[in-house]
Amino acid sequence: MSTRSAPRRLPRRPASGLAERWTTVDGVDVFYRESVSPPDAPAMMHVHGFGLSGRYLLPTAERLADDFHTLVPDLPGFGRSGRAPHGLDIPDLAHAAARFLDDRGIEKVTLVGNSMGCPVILEFAHHYPERIERAVLVSPAGGVHNQPLRRAVGQLSRDGVREPPRMVTVAAPDYLRFGVPSTVRMFRALTQYPSLSRLLDLRIPTLVVVGERDP
């Protein structure tokens, strides 16, 4: 039986030029956006950050949609997608991402992530190295740099006031939908994730982008 946070509905107005669709992964309804590029284009999936949906990644995804078969899912528990019966951690999200690609018939992919999306990509590469062409990690989160938990909370607070004001209209509904219990559980899992050691274990072409003012 499908696990849903709300009935399947598409947004009233498309947020981008990508097609907006639903599928089911492990019994959970997953909302995603997909380019209408030729089927022989290489695949690229954009992986969103903590508490957010994939909506804020759409400007980048649209720019690349002419060259890649582009996918921007809301991972289970995030955005419009339904919730799993139990809370998901970073490894669970990586496996869910792999099964989403299975559902779309995609064997190999370039992964582009931001914040929490980077640990999800690192875990994906750890379990499925043969399925990832290359990785782009923008402002990776998680691991020793975010420990202890109180330090991570302070970092998140400083980061929040540096975001452009237009992000509020995107982030606020996503965080409200994500909820406080999920926020606490996932934030703790993120800070405990071994991001650095997973990064050093990578054996694929990888681009890491880190801002000098990123806390």
Side-chain angles (χ1 to χ4, degrees):
M1 184 172 65
S2 180
T3 304
R4 302 178 184 177
S5 57
R8 284 187 174 194
R9 293 194 186 99
L10 296 176
R12 293 178 183 175
R13 285 176 288 189
S16 72
L18 304 184
E20 297 178 332
R21 295 170 175 160
W22 287 94
T23 190
T24 303
V25 177
D26 294 336
V28 176
D29 285 345
V30 172
F31 176 74
Y32 68 101
R33 304 95 176 154
E34 184 173 22
S35 66
V36 291
S37 59
D40 58 346
M44 173 180 285
M45 184 166 73
H46 299 254
V47 187
H48 59 75
F50 172 79
L52 298 167
S53 69
R55 184 181 168 195
Y56 78 105
L57 302 176
L58 292 177
T60 302
E62 279 194 293
R63 285 177 177 268
L64 296 166
D66 289 339
D67 300 308
F68 292 90
H69 176 194
T70 306
L71 299 121
V72 188
D74 291 352
L75 294 173
F78 296 82
R80 290 178 174 271
S81 293
R83 299 177 184 272
H86 57 89
L88 302 182
D89 57 14
I90 299 298
D92 292 329
L93 292 174
H95 293 307
R99 288 190 285 272
F100 169 75
L101 292 171
D102 291 340
D103 178 79
R104 305 310 309 140
I106 295 171
E107 185 59 34
K108 204 155 190 176
V109 66
T110 291
L111 294 176
V112 181
N114 165 244
S115 184
M116 182 203 75
C118 299
V120 173
I121 291 173
L122 293 173
E123 190 69 9
F124 184 102
H126 177 71
H127 290 282
Y128 310 101
E130 74 287 352
R131 298 193 64 176
I132 181 167
E133 293 272 8
R134 60 185 69 81
V136 180
L137 310 175
V138 182
S139 298
V144 294
H145 185 64
N146 298 137
Q147 296 171 2
L149 185 61
R150 64 179 180 276
R151 181 185 186 191
V153 172
Q155 290 168 328
L156 185 64
S157 300
R158 292 196 303 277
D159 179 70
V161 299
R162 296 175 180 176
E163 295 287 354
R166 65 182 179 275
M167 268 295 290
V168 174
T169 60
V170 176
D174 286 345
Y175 277 123
L176 287 172
R177 190 180 289 121
F178 192 53
V180 174
S182 296
T183 296
V184 173
R185 182 171 55 247
M186 180 54 68
F187 198 63
R188 187 176 297 277
L190 182 60
T191 60
Q192 294 174 348
Y193 183 77
S195 291
L196 182 58
S197 61
R198 284 283 195 264
L199 178 62
L200 295 176
D201 286 341
L202 282 182
R203 296 295 181 266
I204 58 170
T206 304
L207 172 66
V208 181
V209 183
V210 181
E212 63 180 14
R213 296 183 66 241
D214 187 344

